[in-house]
Amino acid sequence: MLWGVSGPLFLLDYLGAVAVALAVALAARELTGRRARGTAPDAVELAYLTDRALLACQVGMAALHRAGVVRRGELATLSVDGPPPPRSPALVRALHAALGRPQTWAAVLADPGVGRALRRLVGRLVRDGWLLTPAQRRRIALGTLPLFAVAAVGVTRLVESAVEGRDAGGPASVVGLLLCCLATALGGWWLCEVPETGAAARRLLRRQRRAHAELDPQRRPTWRERGTDQLLTAMALFGPRPLLAVDPGFAVQVGVDPERGRPTPEPKPARR
């Protein structure tokens, strides 16, 4: 017996250690950023939490479009004709200022004023606890170290058994340990991808999606009967596809991919 432990017994101990290490990694992920403060995010901020800067800008453009101030020009340019909606978020005002002269969508995204507004938005979300700080993200990444440590112990046992010609257990135990080591390392690698959003933001998004489930594009809501706030909320929570239903040409011009996230068609009844 290698290390004074039989192969089957070591495999059971290994699985127990993996369970403990996985619990540590998941706890670090779920408990970090679990508290937020300040007011609840608006539609533009929710969009950033859902899919970062591009979706936030698309929601801002949808707000300007629904206010009737966006004009589409030649060569895929956009411009504004009129003031932004009252009490617009800072990003919406920055997009409106960027469109003071005709611009392409790529030029709007690269506008310095839009970039400053996005940085202020991110800073506010970090300050209020909806986005994780670099220190919090490092804490989550460090929570995966026990998984790699457990995998290293298993690999060390296999290597020592092969080099010294000692018995690490029967073939089934050895193969089982090898597969478990591989799964543990892959699981640790997968958990190393740290989310930008904290636990509070993820809970908020899940709660808002349940509360506004009728706006999910999979349910094909009728947008003619709904107002601007519902359209912006649907885009912020479920992605930009609702804008395609309102104005496909404008949606494509602001970067919405018609093929991305297309709802699954309902099955047609079989002909008899």
Side-chain angles (χ1 to χ4, degrees):
M1 293 189 299
L2 183 61
W3 299 352
V5 183
S6 65
L9 182 57
F10 182 86
L11 186 56
L12 289 175
D13 292 340
Y14 181 89
L15 292 176
V18 168
V20 172
L22 183 60
V24 170
L26 294 178
R29 181 176 291 257
E30 290 302 320
L31 296 179
T32 303
R34 69 184 185 279
R35 294 181 180 177
R37 51 196 173 273
T39 59
D42 58 26
V44 173
E45 293 169 335
L46 281 176
Y48 191 93
L49 294 177
T50 297
D51 203 13
R52 306 299 174 263
L54 178 59
L55 183 57
C57 290
Q58 289 170 335
V59 170
M61 288 298 296
L64 294 174
H65 178 263
R66 295 285 279 190
V69 300
V70 178
R71 297 290 179 266
R72 296 166 60 189
E74 299 178 351
L75 302 177
T77 58
L78 298 164
S79 61
V80 289
D81 180 15
R87 298 183 299 278
S88 295
L91 181 58
V92 176
R93 296 196 301 270
L95 291 168
H96 182 274
L99 292 173
R101 58 187 180 86
Q103 299 261 36
T104 63
W105 178 236
V108 171
L109 294 178
D111 184 82
V114 174
R116 286 192 297 270
L118 283 169
R119 287 192 293 272
R120 287 194 294 268
L121 183 150
V122 171
R124 185 167 57 254
L125 291 175
V126 171
R127 183 194 63 219
D128 290 348
W130 302 108
L131 289 178
L132 298 177
T133 64
Q136 288 174 318
R137 299 189 60 171
R138 283 194 298 271
R139 188 185 312 161
I140 293 177
L142 289 174
T144 63
L145 288 181
L147 280 170
F148 291 108
V150 172
V153 171
V155 171
T156 301
R157 179 179 173 90
L158 291 171
V159 171
E160 186 172 339
S161 172
V163 171
E164 298 187 5
R166 300 175 66 185
D167 188 8
S173 298
V174 172
V175 172
L177 180 58
L178 179 61
L179 293 177
C180 288
C181 289
L182 180 61
T184 305
L186 290 177
W189 181 265
W190 178 71
L191 289 174
C192 276
E193 185 177 350
V194 180
E196 290 186 43
T197 53
R202 295 194 294 273
R203 286 198 309 270
L204 173 68
L205 290 173
R206 288 194 297 267
R207 187 166 61 247
Q208 289 292 319
R209 286 167 185 151
R210 287 195 300 267
H212 299 284
E214 75 280 0
L215 301 178
D216 189 341
Q218 297 287 345
R219 299 193 177 188
R220 296 178 173 85
T222 303
W223 293 108
R224 296 177 183 175
E225 304 171 356
R226 302 181 186 274
T228 299
D229 290 343
Q230 290 179 306
L231 173 66
L232 300 183
T233 299
M235 292 179 64
L237 296 175
F238 300 105
R241 285 200 61 82
L243 190 58
L244 283 169
V246 175
D247 190 335
F250 177 77
V252 171
Q253 195 163 347
V254 296
V256 181
D257 185 357
E259 300 300 324
R260 182 184 176 188
R262 182 181 295 277
T264 304
E266 296 179 358
K268 297 181 179 180
R271 294 182 179 179
R272 295 183 179 179

